[in-house]
Amino acid sequence: MSANLFELRGIEKSFDGLSVLKGVDLDIHCQEVLTLIGLSGSGKSVLLKMLIGLIRPDAGTIRFDGERVETLSEKEWFAVRKRVGISFQEPALFDSMSVEDNVAYGLREHDQLAGGELTTRVSDSLTQVGLPGIEAMAPASLSGGMRKRVGIARAVAMRPEALIYDEPTEGLDPINVTRVSNLMLGLRSALDITTIVATHNMKAAFDTSDRIAFLHEGKIACAGSPDALIAKHPQAMASFVEKATFRIPE
Ligand code: ADP
Ligand code: MG
């Protein structure tokens, strides 16, 4: 395996003439916790979706485990999505299905496992997110924090090499913020996975990350360890940190 799980170079993306990404260069190291921070609307979610081929760049290259992927066909992206799980900002759980079927969804889609093995994998995944034994419950009956964790269990069930979390702590109370942060770190250690997070919760970012990358005006303005960023950060980040303490509404 190459030392970088992802390598992004010169990534550009516009929507309806509005330029969102203007040349993003970023390496994501294997097994690190990398957090992408930036103002609301700066393009964090767009960048995360590019890592699994849900949005295609207009220009630039994306390497995954050393291989170019930005040119892959929809079918070929399937193989990448098997290896990289994502927990979306809004965990899109199917309310018509049980928790068990929601967690099993990706496994069935990819024909990974069947029967008893599938049942065991689902129950292990729920245990890994701290929700053992809730297979029969309906998603609608769960709290916001629990729904997030079921969304994470669905990604974990695929035994991915990397997990992407988009705003994992958004809308949670402080206890659940800590719980989800600890969960992300616990999964990283237990499963040896690369962890990629987008958030504008600065405290969570500084508490949990090996490195932080600041997306500003369409580019990575700076990237480094939390300590390095505190010691030497650009003016743009200072104003972001100041605004972030007041929580920027989506
Ligand atoms: P962030 O996650 O940093 O808050 P986003 O990545 O969601 O920001 O969005 C960045 C910009 O791209 C926003 O202006 C948003 O409206 C726009 N955008 C994102 N996805 C789409 C899309 N599929 N179609 C059109 N515009 C989009
Ligand atoms: Mg977003």
Side-chain angles (χ1 to χ4, degrees):
M1 190 186 277
S2 73
N4 291 327
L5 192 64
F6 285 99
E7 291 175 2
L8 286 77
R9 293 290 178 275
I11 299 294
E12 295 176 19
K13 184 70 188 177
S14 299
F15 294 103
D16 306 321
L18 175 77
S19 172
V20 175
L21 302 178
K22 303 176 182 175
V24 167
D25 296 324
L26 180 66
D27 289 341
I28 300 172
H29 308 160
C30 287
Q31 298 180 4
E32 74 173 338
V33 178
L34 176 98
T35 302
L36 202 56
I37 59 169
L39 290 169
S40 196
S42 59
K44 301 182 296 297
S45 296
V46 168
L47 201 56
L48 294 186
K49 285 176 185 163
M50 278 183 183
L51 301 179
I52 54 165
L54 297 181
I55 293 180
R56 305 295 182 107
D58 297 333
T61 61
I62 303 174
R63 279 178 197 278
F64 170 66
D65 197 10
E67 303 283 334
R68 289 277 289 276
V69 291
E70 82 283 353
T71 49
L72 295 184
S73 68
E74 188 52 34
K75 208 171 157 194
E76 290 165 328
W77 268 107
F78 224 59
V80 177
R81 285 181 209 142
K82 243 176 163 168
R83 296 172 59 187
V84 182
I86 187 160
S87 150
F88 289 102
Q89 186 160 352
E90 290 299 325
L93 303 181
F94 298 104
D95 280 329
S96 59
M97 296 180 189
S98 64
V99 164
E100 176 165 37
D101 287 337
N102 269 282
V103 175
Y105 189 80
L107 292 169
R108 292 207 172 105
E109 181 115 300
H110 288 274
D111 266 334
Q112 293 275 90
L113 297 171
E117 273 186 317
L118 187 125
T119 311
T120 306
R121 179 72 70 82
V122 168
S123 99
D124 287 351
S125 305
L126 285 168
T127 301
Q128 269 166 328
V129 301
L131 295 173
I134 68 156
E135 282 90 334
M137 287 181 79
S141 67
L142 305 177
S143 69
M146 287 169 86
R147 288 175 71 87
K148 286 250 188 211
R149 285 189 282 152
V150 170
I152 295 169
R154 179 167 55 192
V156 163
M158 300 294 294
R159 299 266 161 90
E161 290 158 53
L163 265 174
I164 296 172
Y165 301 87
D166 198 356
E167 304 283 1
T169 58
E170 186 61 23
L172 300 181
D173 59 64
I175 290 173
N176 275 302
V177 168
T178 307
R179 192 177 275 160
V180 168
S181 296
N182 288 340
L183 173 61
M184 292 192 297
L185 294 183
L187 289 174
R188 192 272 290 261
S189 319
L191 308 175
D192 268 345
I193 45 180
T194 308
T195 301
I196 306 155
V197 188
T199 186
H200 49 254
N201 184 323
M202 290 297 286
K203 183 178 174 341
F206 277 83
D207 284 351
T208 58
S209 310
D210 295 316
R211 287 194 312 135
I212 293 174
F214 178 45
L215 182 60
H216 185 64
E217 293 178 349
K219 293 187 173 181
I220 300 298
C222 55
S225 68
D227 287 348
L229 287 197
I230 290 168
K232 188 179 176 210
H233 58 259
Q235 197 55 38
M237 194 165 133
S239 73
F240 170 76
V241 172
E242 197 177 302
K243 285 184 195 153
T245 40
F246 297 103
R247 306 201 96 229
I248 303 134
E250 278 291 339

